Each structure stands twice: as structure tokens, then as C-alpha cells.
Amino acid sequence: MRFSETFDVTRTAEDDWFDPLLLADTNLCVDPFLIYDDANEFWARAHDDMIDFFVMVLKMVKAAKGDEKTPSWAKAKSLLLFPEPDEFCLGVTEGSPKGSGSGKGLQRPMLASAQVAVRHDIEAVEHIEELVLFQEGMGLDRISDMVCNVLKKHFVTYTQEVARRHSVPTERIRVRHSSWDDRNAKWRDEFVELPRNPYTGSAILLTPARFLREMLTIGADDFWDWAWRQDSETLRANFNFDLAWRVPAAMKARMARENPELVKAYMRERETDEKKPYDIENDPLLRTKTYELGKSLATENPLSFTPSTPDEFREFIAALIAAYAHGIEQSDGWRLLWDKTKFRPESACQSLFRFAASHYCRAHKIDLTSEANAGRGPVDFKFVQNWEARALIEMKLASNSGFWHGLTKQTVQYLQSEELKCAFFVCICFEDKHFDPLFRQQVKDLAKATSRAHGVDIEPVFIDARPKASASKLR
């Protein structure tokens, strides 16, 4: 369900907010550059707040003088803790809004970056991305997490205004990092009047759609490419690499640390670049409409029975996969999995299946967990009706380089971790070569041998996602 559905909101011309799914994250990020460039006076102040926050952090790091036992260091460490802001229902991986978050995994590299800045007598940064470039392994999703934490009070005010305008019910809900206190250099966790997410229990925060992108404006690779174009001879001399694109992340971070003025020049140039938000309406990467498209697939391909025994449960899961396959193969659903002449990534196929399956499962009172952590790693889908009636689905593109490993290793590990015996290995096939009888027989034989060797039952299923002659157009 989307926010608008849950609270029966009819949008007007004033409503510029992205309508989030409340039961799963949407794979988009908040790009700080799009906020900084905004002409609205309310959001124009956000850039100043971001600068003030990191001035506060750098002051604490400078005062600590490298001593990690000082109160100043403890404050800096606390300020640089950025838990995943699940209130936004956004993220680079789809699944439950209650993700693991960046939290402490981001804290130490940010502290190290702040120390680099202090050593270079940098007392203020205009963009948090400057600090991000100083350390490897700090992904774009983490920049988005930082922005949503530091500017959360702005999003709280924005959401409250939307709620008032549409008479959306609110509650006093405890919000982590609802604001920060520059006088005492600490975060505030406060009770705030906001709508509640019925699926997670958390507060809901909305963001203007114009701030969302599929990829943020800056990144280590982009910085390196830019720097290489500026002064490739110096980089070759200093870093002993002849091919810019083969430089590892650690080397790119080192280059940024050793050349902070180059980082500032890069950031200034990126400020002037044209930046466009994600096209939510047309959804070219299939990131914002899979809920509605999955619902349409389920509606056009209904299931007629509710399982009452473990054997019937297996039949139900098989029928659910068959209904999805029918929608792809017979109802023009294949068009959803193609972007012009290119087929979409595995994540898009899984996302479409997730939302089709969720409608079936809701109707038949079956619990569906997508990207569940089954022991040592994430399994694509886990279905549960009771302790005896459980099954896993692993979905792979036949063209995936990890296809065979997924069949012989991953699926088996998931089954063993969950103490299950039954799994479906769904192969999405976009290319003619994957319809060669020899390939299909190899998959079936390997599934049978793997099942026998581990005392489990892995059933392969093939879905034909190749382009087809036009049938009824999916709506």
C-alpha cells in the first residue's frame, strides 16, 4: 500500500511529494545536490544546516587532538552515527523498510575523514561528499542516509504540513535523530506528531519527488575520472597506475585524502552540472511502479484455492509461480522486463514478482518475506503458512554469472539454514540460447543431483521473458 492509499489522500497541485510504498523500500536516494539547488526558501536553508552540522563535528575532532578518550572525541563519534532512516521507505536495496542501516559501519570511516580534514586545516565543508571521498567503501546510499538524518527536522516539518492539508491522522511517535543541538553537540531523539506506518510501526516521513535520484551526483569513480582528465600525468607519477579505470577504491580514497583542494575543485564543478531527479512518472528503471504492475499481474492471473496441507502449500507456491509466468509469457508482461532493446536486471524481475506474490499471499493469509536473511545470506523469497508449510524461492536470470552457484550452493544453504526441504529455483530466460534443450536438461539434472546429495527438493522452473508478438497490453 502507498501512503496515499493508506490514508485516502487525493493529491492536488500543491502535492509535490513522492508517494512511498509503506511495506517495502523504493530503490531511490535523496540527492543532497538537488536539495541545495532548490529555489524554495524553506529548502534553501537546508544547505546551511548541513554545513553547520559538519562544522560542529570538525570542531569536536579538532578539540580531541587525536585522543579517543576525550569527551570531544566521544561527541564527534556520537554525531557521526547515522542509522538508516527507515521513516522514508527509501534505499538502494528493496525489501522491508526496517533495514540493517549504515549506523556504526559508517561511523569509523567518517571519523577518519574528519581527522583528514582537520589535518589539512579544513574547518568547514560545503558538501558532506567531500568527507565521503576521503574513505573507501562509503557508498552513495550512505550519503543519502546522512542527508536524511542531518536534515530530518526539515522533512518532519514538511510531512506535518502535508498531513494537516489532507487531514491525515498523526500520533506522537519517537523519532531517532529528529534534530541536533549545536550548543551541546548531540543528537535529539524526540516524540513528534507524524503519521504512523501500519506495516513497521515507525513514523512516516515524506520527501519532495524532485529530490530523488537513482544515483547520486558524486562518487569515488566519478571523482577519479574527473581528476584523471584534469591532471593525468601527476596521477600517473604519484599513484603508479597506467589505466585509470583499474585503480582500486582504496587508491582513489588515498588520492582524495592527499589532494583536498582537488576535491574542493571537483565539488565546485559538480555544483554547476545539470542535475535531474528520477523520472517517477515514466519509471525507466522500473523502480516506482512495480507495486501497481505486480498487482495488475495478480489480478489478471488469479489463484482459485487456499492451501490447507503442506502438500497443497507446495502446489500453491508452484501455482503462484505459474501465474507470474503466465502474466509474463501470455499477457504481455514481458514488456515490463525490457527497456527498449535491453532486458532489465535481476532485481527488476524479483521486484515485479514480489508485488504480484504479495497480493496472492495477502488474499490467502500466507506470510511472504522478500530478501529474508536465511542464515548466512539473503534468500529472494520465503513463504510461510505454518511450521510445516514453508518454502523458498530463489530467482535468477539464466544469464547471471552466478547462476550455477545459485542452484548448487546458495539455495542449498538457504534450505539448510531454515531447516526446509522444499525450494523452487526460478530461471528468468531472456535469450534464445537458454531455450536450448541441452541447457534446460543440464539445469534439471543438476537440480536433481543437488537435491539427492543434500536430502532436499529443488524444483527448477523456467520463465520465457523473450519479446513476443503483441497480445493484450498490460494495464
Side-chain angles (χ1 to χ4, degrees):
M1 295 284 283
R2 293 198 180 275
F3 174 83
S4 60
E5 289 180 274
T6 302
F7 296 103
D8 195 23
V9 172
T10 301
R11 297 174 71 104
T12 70
E14 291 183 81
D15 294 303
D16 58 354
W17 41 274
F18 172 66
D19 193 7
L21 276 173
L22 301 184
L23 46 74
D25 284 345
T26 298
N27 192 358
L28 294 174
C29 295
V30 175
D31 189 331
F33 274 89
L34 292 173
I35 299 177
Y36 302 156
D37 287 349
D38 203 71
N40 183 286
E41 184 179 348
F42 175 78
W43 293 108
R45 295 193 295 270
H47 191 189
D48 292 338
D49 280 358
M50 190 71 72
I51 294 173
D52 290 344
F53 178 84
F54 283 99
V55 166
M56 175 177 61
V57 170
L58 293 175
K59 281 182 179 177
M60 293 299 104
V61 172
K62 185 175 183 179
K65 298 179 180 179
D67 186 351
E68 298 188 10
K69 296 181 180 180
T70 62
S72 296
W73 182 265
K75 285 189 174 184
K77 186 176 179 181
S78 176
L79 288 167
L80 291 174
L81 182 65
F82 299 105
E84 182 174 357
D86 61 279
E87 303 95 344
F88 293 82
C89 298
L90 298 169
V92 296
T93 57
E94 297 171 299
S96 168
K98 288 285 188 182
S100 58
S102 47
K104 292 185 178 179
L106 182 55
Q107 187 182 57
R108 181 145 298 277
M110 284 299 291
L111 280 167
S113 294
Q115 285 182 302
V116 170
V118 168
R119 283 200 300 271
H120 286 277
D121 295 321
I122 297 173
E123 297 186 357
V125 292
E126 293 187 20
H127 300 285
I128 57 173
E129 297 90 336
E130 292 181 44
L131 297 180
V132 169
L133 291 174
F134 291 155
Q135 298 294 324
E136 63 176 307
M138 297 175 67
L140 301 178
D141 56 324
R142 298 194 168 182
I143 297 176
S144 182
D145 282 356
M146 283 190 286
V147 172
C148 289
N149 274 272
V150 176
L151 300 182
K152 193 173 286 187
K153 67 177 182 180
H154 294 264
F155 293 107
V156 167
T157 301
Y158 177 79
T159 304
Q160 288 173 333
E161 174 57 32
V162 173
R164 279 193 295 270
R165 190 163 65 246
H166 292 286
S167 300
V168 172
T170 61
E171 304 176 39
R172 281 179 57 79
I173 306 173
R174 186 176 182 270
V175 176
R176 193 174 184 190
H177 289 189
S178 59
S179 62
W180 44 271
D181 178 356
D182 58 345
R183 177 174 296 180
N184 297 300
K186 67 176 185 179
W187 288 104
R188 295 191 188 102
D189 296 347
E190 301 167 307
F191 283 88
V192 183
E193 285 283 342
L194 286 169
R196 186 183 292 278
N197 188 328
Y199 300 97
T200 66
S202 300
I204 298 170
L205 288 176
L206 302 174
T207 178
R210 63 184 180 277
F211 295 163
L212 299 180
R213 295 189 72 186
E214 74 279 9
M215 179 178 288
L216 301 186
T217 299
I218 69 97
D221 292 340
D222 182 61
F223 171 56
W224 179 270
D225 291 342
W226 176 87
W228 191 266
R229 292 194 301 272
Q230 303 303 306
D231 194 356
S232 60
E233 292 302 320
T234 299
L235 292 184
R236 283 193 179 94
N238 290 343
F239 295 94
N240 299 318
F241 274 91
D242 293 325
L243 298 176
W245 55 88
R246 294 179 59 183
V247 176
M251 189 67 72
K252 294 173 183 176
R254 180 187 138 200
M255 191 268 283
R257 290 195 298 271
E258 293 179 4
N259 297 273
E261 290 305 315
L262 195 61
V263 171
K264 285 189 176 294
Y266 164 73
M267 299 304 296
R268 285 194 295 270
E269 184 165 313
R270 284 294 168 265
E271 283 182 339
T272 63
D273 290 347
E274 182 182 12
K275 295 169 280 290
K276 294 182 179 180
Y278 184 71
D279 185 351
I280 290 170
E281 182 61 31
N282 292 316
D283 192 22
L285 300 179
L286 205 61
R287 295 191 178 180
T288 62
K289 291 187 175 180
T290 45
Y291 170 72
E292 287 79 12
L293 295 172
K295 182 178 180 179
S296 180
L297 276 176
T299 301
E300 292 189 7
N301 300 276
L303 296 181
S304 58
F305 77 100
T306 299
S308 58
T309 68
D311 286 341
E312 286 185 357
F313 184 76
R314 178 192 174 91
E315 291 177 24
F316 174 82
I317 301 302
L320 188 154
I321 298 170
Y324 177 72
H326 185 273
I328 298 300
E329 297 173 347
Q330 305 298 328
S331 300
D332 276 3
W334 64 269
R335 296 179 186 277
L336 306 176
L337 301 182
W338 284 82
D339 179 14
K340 297 178 182 177
T341 59
K342 295 193 306 180
F343 54 81
R344 296 189 187 276
E346 194 169 86
S347 59
C349 303
Q350 293 169 343
S351 182
L352 185 62
F353 176 78
R354 173 186 300 113
F355 291 114
S358 68
H359 288 282
Y360 293 127
C361 291
R362 194 175 299 117
H364 297 278
K365 298 181 180 179
I366 291 171
D367 179 56
L368 163 63
T369 303
S370 57
E371 296 180 353
N373 194 329
R376 297 185 184 176
V379 60
D380 291 334
F381 306 99
K382 180 174 72 174
F383 297 83
V384 178
Q385 188 178 41
N386 54 52
W387 182 253
E388 291 80 20
R390 299 184 299 152
L392 300 179
I393 292 179
E394 177 72 6
M395 183 173 286
K396 281 274 187 287
L397 299 193
S399 56
N400 188 322
S401 60
F403 178 83
W404 300 105
H405 181 266
L407 175 58
T408 61
K409 302 295 183 183
Q410 284 180 312
T411 304
V412 171
Q413 181 60 59
Y414 300 152
L415 286 169
Q416 293 174 342
S417 298
E418 292 289 307
E419 300 180 10
L420 293 175
K421 296 294 183 182
C422 170
F424 293 86
F425 188 77
V426 179
C427 317
I428 307 293
C429 304
F430 288 101
E431 300 171 273
D432 291 341
K433 65 182 179 181
H434 296 128
F435 292 86
D436 185 299
L438 179 60
F439 170 79
R440 294 205 164 198
Q441 194 59 50
Q442 284 179 323
V443 175
K444 292 176 183 177
D445 290 345
L446 191 55
K448 186 179 294 185
T450 302
S451 297
R452 189 165 49 245
H454 296 278
V456 296
D457 183 5
I458 302 173
E459 180 177 338
V461 180
F462 301 90
I463 295 179
D464 183 357
R466 291 176 298 179
K468 299 166 184 65
S470 180
S472 60
K473 188 167 287 188
L474 190 67
R475 297 185 184 278

